[in-house]
Amino acid sequence: MSERLFHSNVSIASGNHIYLERPQIDRLLEKAAQNPVVIVCAGAGYGKTHSVYSFVRKYDAAICWIQFSERDNISERFWENFVTAVSVINKKAAVKLARIDFPETERQFERYLEIARADTPPAGRCVFVYDDFHLINNKAVLRFIECSITASFPTITSILIARNEPAVNLVKLESKGLLGRITEEDLRFSREELVEYFRLQNIRPSPQTVSSVYHDTEGWAFAIHLAGLSLKNAPTGAGYVPQAMRSNIFKLIESEIMSVISEDLRKFLIRLSLIAHLVPDLLREIAAGRPLVEEMEQIGSFIRFDAYLNAYQIHHLFLDYLSGKQHELSDEEKREVYQKAASWCAQNNHKLDAINYYEKVGDYERLIDVVRTMPSMLQNHIARMLLEILERAPEEIYDRIAVAQVIRTGLYFTLEMFEKAEEELVKVIARLETLPPSPVVNQTLAGCCYNLGFLGLTTSPFTRNYNYAHYFERSKHYFTLSPFEMKPPISVFPLSSYICRVNSEEKEEMEKCIEGFAATVSYVPAIMGGCTMGLDDLARGELAFFRGDLSAAEQITLKALESARKGDQYEIANRALFYLLRLNLARGNYKNIQDIFEQLEAQLSEQYYLNRFTYYDIVTGWYYSQIGQTCKLAPWLKNDFEESDLNSLAHGLELLVRAKYHCAERRYPTALAVLESREDRNSRWAFVLGKIEKKTLESVCRYQNRDREGAFAVLETAYNLALPNALFMPFTEMGKYMRTLTDAAIKDKATAIPREWLETVRRNASGYAKKLFAVAEQERPSFLQEGTSNQGVNLSPRESEVLMGLYQGMTREEIAGISSLSTNTVKSVIRSIYNKLGAVNKADAIRIAVSLGLV
C-alpha cells in the first residue's frame, strides 16, 4: 500500500490508556463509515474522540486525524496544520500540498483536488477524522472542508467529531441517505459498560453504588471516569458519594487530579494551557530537563499522545480548568513559555502563531524577522492582523528596529490606505534625515524611500504623475550605505491587469507611463534583487501589440522576457509569454504556441512565483476561449461567483477571460452580465487598455444578442478610447464577431465611426479569423483533422472543417471566407454532412455530431 495518499494504519502506542471495548459503538461506526461522511455529535465528555479513536485503531483503512483548535480559524494556520497532518503519513503528498496556498478560491480548490485525486489509491479505504469541529467558525475553512468531504472520492470517509451540529451544508448527502450519524444517545454508557469499565480500573463497586453512579452520570463518559477515580482513591470500605457531576466537574478535577500531583507538574500543566502546539520536543523544552512529560502521561485519559499528529491532546474540560488557573503563573513564567513556543513555531513554519507568541513576550525583533520571510503582497485579513500588531507595539521599536516602519507602510499599500502611507512616509523620512547617519537610519531611509516610490508608481494611473523615480534613486543611495540583500518572493514585482497603467486615453499618456518605468528600472533592480527587470520593455511590447505592430511587439517582448528571467521576475515573464502567445495566434503559428505553452508550464515549478497557478489558468483560459475550446478552461474561471486571490489591480484580466468564456459559449447575456457586474468596483484601476478590450467584447455580445443600436453605441465608445493612440488589436482579436459587426455598421451608416476605420478593422478581423481557425483546427484531435470515422459516419477533411465551423456558430458565408470556398460549395458540403448524419437541420447536425464525438 505504498505510494498512496495516506499509508496504512499507523501503530498507536497504548501507553497508560485503558480502552473499553464497546462493540455496539464499533458496529454503529462501522455501518456509518460506509457513507462518505459521518457526524459524531455530542456534548463535552461523552467519549466522542475515544470512541472514534478506538474504532479506527481496528478499522482496515488509512487514517488521517486532524485535531482542531480555535486558532485553526486562521485559514493559513489551518492549512499548515492540515499539511502537517498529511506529512506524518505521506511526506510526498504533503510536499505537493505545501506548494499551494490554502484553497480559498474555486481555482485553488481544484488544484487541491488534482493532488488528492492523483495520490488517492483506487482501492482500499481512507478515513479523515476532523476532531473538535465545533471550534471552527471561519467561513473559508468551513467551505474548504465542506467541499472536500462532499467531493467524489469513493474510497474516502470523513468523520466529523463535534459538540454541536457542524456548520456545513450536508443536506444533499442526507437526502440521499449518504450521511452517517452517531448521537449523544448512542454514546451514553449502558449499565453493563459502566460495570465493565470499573472492572478494567480494578474497581468492584456494589450493585447499589453502580445504580447511584449510573443515575448521577446518566451514562456520561467523563463523569463516569471521575466517579471511578473517586471510588479508586476512596478509603477502604468507603462508598460512592453522589455529586452533581455537571456543576462540580472542576471541583472533581481539583480533588482527584490536581491535589495528588506534584507542584512542578501542576505548574507545568498550567503552562501548557498557554499554547496550542503540544509536541514532545516543545514540551520537553518547557519542562527544562525535568521528567514532567513522563509524569503527565500518568494522569490518564485526560491527556493522551496522538501518534497521527505527533502531539499530546488535553481534554477540553481539563484544558478549561487549567486555563482558569493561569493567574497562578508569574508574568516571567508566561513570557518564558511564549518565547519557547514562538521559537518552535518559527522553526517549524507556523509563522502566524510565531508572530502572536512573539507579540505576547514583546520580542519585536524576532517578530519582524518572521514577517520579513512572508510575501510582500499578503491577503487582506493577514495584512490587517499584522498591522494591528504593529500599531499596538511601543513607539520605541521603530527607532530600534530598522524595517518595522517599512513593513508597516507596506501593509498600508496592501490595504490600499495610500494617503495614510504617504503621510507617514514623508514624516518618517523628514525625521530620519535629521539624525546622525547609522546603519539603522540608512536602512530605514532606504526602505521608506522605496515605499514612497512604489506609492507613486501604484497611484500614478489616477494622479497622472509619473515622476516617482527620484524616490527610488534616493532609496538606492541609502541602500549602498547599508548593505541589504533582497530575495524572492519579496523581490518579485507584482503586476496589474495591464502593464501600461493609465486611466486617460490622451495621446502619449502611455509613453509617459513607460518613461516612468524606464527610469524606475535604472534603480530598483540594484536594490531589490532584480525587481522590475524587463518591466519597461514589457510595457513597450504591450503598446506595440495593441497598435498591431506584431514584429516590433515580438522583438521588444522577447527582450523583456530575457531580462525578467535574469532577474527572477516571474510575473513579468508570464505576461511576456502571454503577449507572445497572442501575437503568434494572430499569425497562426501553432508551433510557436506549443513552445510557449511548454514555457508557461515550466513556470509552475517556480516555488517563489506565488501566483503561478492563477496566472497560468488566466493565460491559458484566454487562449482556449479565443479558439473555442472552452472545455479546457480551469473550472474556477467558469464560475461567475468565484474570484481569485489576486490583488485588486489584477482583477481586470481575470474578468475579461470570464466574459470571453461565456461569449465563446454563445451565452451573450451572461457575458454582458459578467462585464457589468464589477463596473464600478475598483474603478480607479480600470486602465484604458482594459476599457477598450471590455467595450469591444461588449459590443459584439450586444450585437449577437440582437441589440444593434446598443452594439454600435458601445463600439463607438471603444473606437473613441482607442483612436488617440491608434490601438487596433482589441478589435482585430474579435475575429469573425468583429467582421460581422463592422460589416453591419458599414451598411447601417448610423454610427459616427469613419467608414475607412470600419473597413480597416473588418479586413484585419477577417484575416485574424482565418488564422484563428487554422490554429483551432490543429488543436483538435488528430482523427478530426485527418477525416472522421466514427460509428459508421465517415466525413472528409473538408466536411470536418465545415462541421467545425457550424459547431462554432459561423454562418455559411463566414465558413466560406475562412476556408477559401464559395458559398455554394459550402452549402453543398453542408447538405452532404446532413445526409451522412441523418440530420434535418443545423441544430440536429450539431447534436448528432456531439453525441458521436465528431466535435
Side-chain angles (χ1 to χ4, degrees), residues 58-72:
K58 305 184 289 286
Y59 193 54
D60 183 20
I63 310 298
C64 183
W65 192 293
I66 299 152
Q67 180 77 45
F68 286 134
S69 72
E70 289 183 347
R71 290 188 180 179
D72 287 299

Side-chain angles (χ1 to χ4, degrees), residues 72-92:
D72 287 299
N73 285 300
I74 299 176
S75 55
E76 288 71 22
R77 201 263 190 181
F78 160 77
W79 190 239
E80 290 172 352
N81 287 345
F82 184 85
V83 173
T84 300
V86 173
S87 70
V88 173
I89 35 190
N90 192 320
K91 295 186 182 299
K92 182 179 177 182

Side-chain angles (χ1 to χ4, degrees), residues 277-319:
H277 300 275
L278 302 181
V279 296
D281 290 346
L282 177 56
L283 266 57
R284 289 192 174 89
E285 188 173 345
I286 293 173
R290 294 168 293 176
L292 296 175
V293 176
E294 291 71 21
E295 286 186 43
M296 178 186 72
E297 291 177 341
Q298 302 307 311
I299 288 178
S301 59
F302 302 108
I303 300 176
R304 66 176 178 85
F305 179 72
D306 192 325
Y308 295 115
L309 300 177
N310 188 36
Y312 288 90
Q313 302 296 317
I314 301 179
H315 192 283
H316 284 292
L317 290 174
F318 191 27
L319 189 60

Side-chain angles (χ1 to χ4, degrees), residues 415-463:
L415 299 173
E416 297 188 15
M417 301 166 63
F418 299 129
E419 292 180 1
K420 187 172 180 63
E422 182 178 16
E423 178 185 352
E424 184 166 322
L425 284 167
V426 170
K427 187 186 301 183
V428 171
I429 291 172
R431 179 175 62 83
L432 290 174
E433 288 181 334
T434 64
L435 300 177
S438 71
V440 171
V441 170
N442 288 332
Q443 187 175 345
T444 308
L445 278 169
C448 287
C449 288
Y450 176 85
N451 279 356
L452 203 54
F454 193 66
L455 174 64
L457 187 155
T458 303
T459 58
S460 61
F462 44 91
T463 64

Side-chain angles (χ1 to χ4, degrees), residues 347-634:
Q347 294 168 11
N348 289 275
N349 206 34
H350 294 275
K351 295 180 181 179
L352 297 179
D353 286 333
I355 289 168
N356 280 311
Y357 288 137
Y358 279 133
E359 185 193 15
K360 289 179 183 294
V361 297
D363 191 345
Y364 290 98
E365 286 88 351
R366 289 187 174 86
L367 185 154
I368 293 297
D369 286 342
V370 174
V371 175
R372 288 173 63 184
T373 66
M374 301 173 75
S376 57
M377 294 298 291
L378 297 167
Q379 293 182 346
N380 281 359
H381 66 280
I382 297 178
R384 287 193 194 95
M385 183 195 81
L386 295 178
L387 184 58
E388 288 171 2
I389 289 173
L390 291 178
E391 288 183 338
R392 289 195 296 264
E395 283 297 323
E396 57 92 15
I397 73 161
Y398 295 102
D399 296 324
R400 183 163 45 87
I401 306 173
V403 296
Q405 198 74 257
V406 179
I407 289 174
R408 187 166 80 173
T409 52
L411 294 172
Y412 290 146
F413 287 143
T414 299
L415 299 173
E416 297 188 15
M417 301 166 63
F418 299 129
E419 292 180 1
K420 187 172 180 63
E422 182 178 16
E423 178 185 352
E424 184 166 322
L425 284 167
V426 170
K427 187 186 301 183
V428 171
I429 291 172
R431 179 175 62 83
L432 290 174
E433 288 181 334
T434 64
L435 300 177
S438 71
V440 171
V441 170
N442 288 332
Q443 187 175 345
T444 308
L445 278 169
C448 287
C449 288
Y450 176 85
N451 279 356
L452 203 54
F454 193 66
L455 174 64
L457 187 155
T458 303
T459 58
S460 61
F462 44 91
T463 64
R464 300 181 66 181
N465 180 3
Y466 305 101
N467 183 28
Y468 45 76
H470 61 282
Y471 294 119
F472 294 123
E473 183 180 16
R474 289 172 64 189
S475 177
K476 182 180 179 181
H477 166 73
Y478 288 119
F479 264 116
T480 57
L481 300 176
S482 176
F484 183 75
E485 185 180 4
M486 189 68 71
K487 297 180 180 180
I490 296 176
S491 62
V492 178
F493 188 76
L495 294 180
S496 52
S497 51
Y498 294 88
I499 314 305
C500 295
R501 304 167 68 258
V502 300
N503 285 345
S504 170
E505 67 271 20
E506 287 187 17
K507 189 176 182 179
E508 298 184 356
E509 187 79 8
M510 293 186 190
E511 282 81 358
K512 294 177 184 177
C513 171
I514 294 172
E515 288 173 8
F517 290 157
T520 295
V521 175
S522 300
Y523 306 110
V524 173
I527 60 180
M528 289 289 288
C531 184
T532 71
M533 284 182 66
L535 178 65
D536 53 339
D537 280 327
L538 180 60
R540 294 187 187 99
E542 180 182 69
L543 182 56
F545 174 80
F546 273 83
R547 284 174 172 168
D549 189 349
L550 299 188
S551 296
E554 180 178 39
Q555 182 180 358
I556 300 170
T557 304
L558 285 171
K559 183 181 175 183
L561 179 61
E562 182 180 1
S563 298
R565 285 173 171 165
K566 286 181 180 178
D568 291 330
Q569 297 305 295
Y570 308 116
E571 291 204 16
I572 293 176
N574 177 275
R575 198 61 59 82
L577 289 171
F578 179 44
Y579 282 118
L580 290 171
L581 176 70
R582 292 172 71 169
L583 67 86
N584 277 286
L585 182 57
R587 289 171 171 170
N589 194 328
Y590 184 62
K591 183 179 179 181
N592 283 0
I593 289 172
Q594 288 179 304
D595 179 63
I596 292 168
F597 261 75
E598 290 178 3
Q599 296 179 63
L600 288 168
E601 289 166 3
Q603 282 198 313
L604 297 179
S605 63
E606 299 287 357
Q607 62 173 323
Y608 293 124
Y609 181 14
L610 302 180
N611 292 324
R612 58 191 182 278
F613 293 110
T614 300
Y615 275 127
Y616 176 83
D617 286 347
I618 290 174
V619 170
T620 58
W622 186 96
Y623 172 75
Y624 287 126
S625 294
Q626 193 75 354
I627 66 172
Q629 296 196 11
T630 54
C631 60
K632 295 183 179 180
L633 263 76

Side-chain angles (χ1 to χ4, degrees), residues 656-670:
L656 179 69
V657 173
R658 291 177 182 276
K660 286 180 73 67
Y661 157 71
H662 290 295
C663 180
E665 287 285 288
R666 299 195 290 277
R667 293 197 290 263
Y668 306 113
T670 306

